[in-house]
């Protein structure tokens, strides 16, 4: 498979954040979407690098959404020698019993269930780390979502230790853009499963994605700068208590 561009960015993330160690057995949460399928394929190839000594396990949680056929995903993994497991769950039924006030599925609740179940299965299959296919565009969107709806500047971490589940959680695609992933999926004909969730395409994240695309069209340099700012810690300059105190003293 031709995954060189994605692999270079996975290698950069790995080296920058020390994501993968010798002997790791990494569970990749496979939703069936393009991001997780490209991550699964790319990590499987990355494990074959001469200086790498780890293995990859694909884990899919069957949430119960209707009309999602994973036969092509199973075939792809079998043909490429990728260990893959599909685990049943009752998530969709639970979500339907806990709709929001507008009668819609609660995305945040669904995300929590998926993450917890993937990690649980990862432990069952002897995995040392869990990887999800969140990429650079996701990270920037999360920053804007938190700023707009939460009044805080925050995004997800490339690597974090989850104390409650005692699991290291990594995001090897953080330096990839969505366009990198879509290109890799197309040229390699990597199978994916269309999401049948009724919320797909109708979320606050979709609105922020559209907003950012407009910004990038107007200001092309913003795309690279927005991703860079997430790790540009030396130039963070927000309000601090001592600055407020100084301003009050001057006014007085």
């Amino acid at each position: 498979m031709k995954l060189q561009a994605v692999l270079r960015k996975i290698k950069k993330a790995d080296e920058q954040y020390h994501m993968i160690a010798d002997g790791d057995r990494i569970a990749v949460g496979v939703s069936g979407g393009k991001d997780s399928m490209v991550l699964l394929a790319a990590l499987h190839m990355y494990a074959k690098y001469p200086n790498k000594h780890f293995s990859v396990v694909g884990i899919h949680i069957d949430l119960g959404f209707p009309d999602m056929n994973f036969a092509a995903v199973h075939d792809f993994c079998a043909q490429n020698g990728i260990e893959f497991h599909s685990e049943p769950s009752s998530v969709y039924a639970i979500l339907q019993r806990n709709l929001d006030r507008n009668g819609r599925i609660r995305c945040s609740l669904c995300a929590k269930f998926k993450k917890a179940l993937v990690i649980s299965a990862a432990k069952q299959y002897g995995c040392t780390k869990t990887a999800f296919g969140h990429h650079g565009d996701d990270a920037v969107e999360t920053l804007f979502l938190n700023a707009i709806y939460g009044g805080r500047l925050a995004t997800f971490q490339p690597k974090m230790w989850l104390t409650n589940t005692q699991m290291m959680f990594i995001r090897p695609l953080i330096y990839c853009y969505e366009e990198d992933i879509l290109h890799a999926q197309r040229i390699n004909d990597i199978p994916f499963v269309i999401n049948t969730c009724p919320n797909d395409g109708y979320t606050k994240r979709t609105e922020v994605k559209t907003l950012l695309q407009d910004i990038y069209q107007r200001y092309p340099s913003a795309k690279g700068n927005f991703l860079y700012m997430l790790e540009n810690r030396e130039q963070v300059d927000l309000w601090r208590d001592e600055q407020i105190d100084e301003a009050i003293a001057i006014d007085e």
Side-chain angles (χ1 to χ4, degrees):
M1 286 185 286
K2 298 178 180 179
L3 291 167
Q4 288 80 3
V6 172
L7 286 167
R8 281 195 298 271
K9 293 181 178 182
I10 286 178
K11 184 174 184 289
K12 179 182 177 182
D14 179 22
E15 292 176 347
Q16 179 70 22
Y17 293 100
H18 308 288
M19 290 188 175
I20 301 171
D22 286 351
D24 271 342
R25 182 168 162 83
I26 300 177
V28 176
V30 178
S31 65
K34 296 174 183 178
D35 300 341
S36 64
M37 288 302 299
V38 168
L39 175 61
L40 180 64
L43 273 186
H44 180 66
M45 289 188 68
Y46 189 48
K48 297 179 181 179
Y49 275 33
N51 62 335
K52 288 297 172 185
H53 308 283
F54 72 96
S55 58
V56 176
V57 181
I59 295 179
H60 165 63
I61 304 299
D62 184 352
L63 301 177
F65 285 93
D67 302 320
M68 295 188 71
N69 188 345
F70 275 76
V73 173
H74 283 273
D75 291 344
F76 174 81
C77 291
Q79 291 165 9
N80 289 278
I82 302 173
E83 184 179 345
F84 184 79
H85 302 279
S86 184
E87 300 294 315
S89 81
S90 303
V91 170
Y92 183 51
I94 296 172
L95 293 173
Q96 288 181 308
R97 294 196 298 269
N98 294 274
L99 301 175
D100 67 15
R101 62 176 178 270
N102 296 314
R104 300 176 63 186
I105 286 173
R106 294 162 59 191
C107 295
S108 59
L109 185 61
C110 183
K112 289 178 181 178
F113 279 136
K114 285 191 291 187
K115 189 173 182 179
L117 290 169
V118 169
I119 290 173
S120 177
K123 289 185 171 183
Q124 177 184 336
Y125 292 108
C127 297
T128 56
K129 290 174 182 171
T130 299
F132 272 18
H134 301 131
H135 48 70
D137 287 311
D138 290 328
V140 173
E141 290 162 14
T142 300
L143 178 75
F144 274 76
L145 282 165
N146 283 326
I148 293 169
Y149 295 104
R152 62 193 182 100
L153 294 179
T155 189
F156 54 69
Q157 294 297 317
K159 173 184 174 182
M160 58 184 180
W161 174 251
L162 303 177
T163 305
N164 290 343
T165 55
Q166 297 291 292
M167 175 64 69
M168 185 65 75
F169 191 82
I170 61 175
R171 295 178 168 99
L173 295 180
I174 53 163
Y175 289 123
C176 291
Y177 291 110
E178 187 173 20
E179 61 198 48
D180 300 324
I181 295 166
L182 296 179
H183 178 70
Q185 183 274 324
R186 283 195 302 267
I187 65 172
N188 292 287
D189 197 25
I190 297 173
F192 66 95
V193 182
I194 294 176
N195 191 350
T196 62
C197 172
N199 286 359
D200 190 42
Y202 301 95
T203 63
K204 291 178 180 177
R205 182 173 291 274
T206 303
E207 294 174 3
V208 168
K209 185 189 293 287
T210 301
L211 170 65
L212 286 168
Q213 288 305 316
D214 183 57
I215 291 173
Y216 299 152
Q217 287 180 4
R218 292 170 179 264
Y219 312 103
S221 63
K223 191 173 181 71
N225 284 335
F226 282 176
L227 188 57
Y228 172 66
M229 74 178 173
L230 297 183
E231 59 183 4
N232 187 12
R233 302 177 189 86
E234 294 179 0
Q235 292 183 289
V236 174
D237 192 9
L238 300 175
W239 292 353
R240 296 184 293 272
D241 290 343
E242 58 266 29
Q243 289 179 321
I244 296 173
D245 291 340
E246 287 177 7
I248 293 173
I250 291 171
D251 288 342
E252 291 175 349

